[in-house]
Amino acid sequence: QAEYTKLLIDSEHQRDVQTTQLLGQDILAKSAAVDDLVAKLPGMNRTRQIQMERINELIKCNHDVTRELEDAYGVARERREEVRAALEESTCLALGVEEDT
């Protein structure tokens, strides 16, 4: 009985050692894969200062485009009002209705 118990304990110990080794190898492989993926991320080869310069450059471009968009929206709104006024006038003329102004 004692010999069987010792063999069982040894067998479980061996299985635990193998499982631990396999898990360790798996962890190392996955860690290397993560390191490889992180190294491939854009900007990883840039310093913090270079990244901040790029961020500031993008912010400036964003502000410029925002101003352009606001200007274009203003022009579009003015043109819409001009078209509405022209349509209103031509519709009134076509229907023989006088405008109240």
Side-chain angles (χ1 to χ4, degrees), residues 71-83:
D71 292 344
Y73 180 74
V75 169
R77 190 174 43 229
E78 289 173 12
R79 287 187 183 158
R80 181 189 66 199
E81 293 307 317
E82 291 170 4
V83 168

Side-chain angles (χ1 to χ4, degrees), residues 18-36:
Q18 288 176 344
T19 302
T20 303
Q21 288 175 344
L22 288 174
L23 289 173
Q25 290 171 354
D26 190 40
I27 289 170
L28 290 174
K30 288 182 180 179
S31 177
V34 168
D35 287 344
D36 187 46

Side-chain angles (χ1 to χ4, degrees), residues 59-88:
I59 289 171
K60 182 188 176 308
C61 288
N62 192 22
H63 287 308
D64 293 345
V65 170
T66 299
R67 271 192 242 73
E68 289 176 18
L69 180 61
E70 288 170 352
D71 292 344
Y73 180 74
V75 169
R77 190 174 43 229
E78 289 173 12
R79 287 187 183 158
R80 181 189 66 199
E81 293 307 317
E82 291 170 4
V83 168
R84 282 183 178 169
L87 282 172
E88 184 178 333

Side-chain angles (χ1 to χ4, degrees), residues 42-44 46-56:
M44 288 306 293
R46 299 181 191 145
T47 63
R48 178 175 172 79
Q49 180 180 351
I50 292 172
Q51 289 178 357
M52 291 306 296
E53 288 171 3
R54 179 66 176 144
I55 288 170
N56 288 329

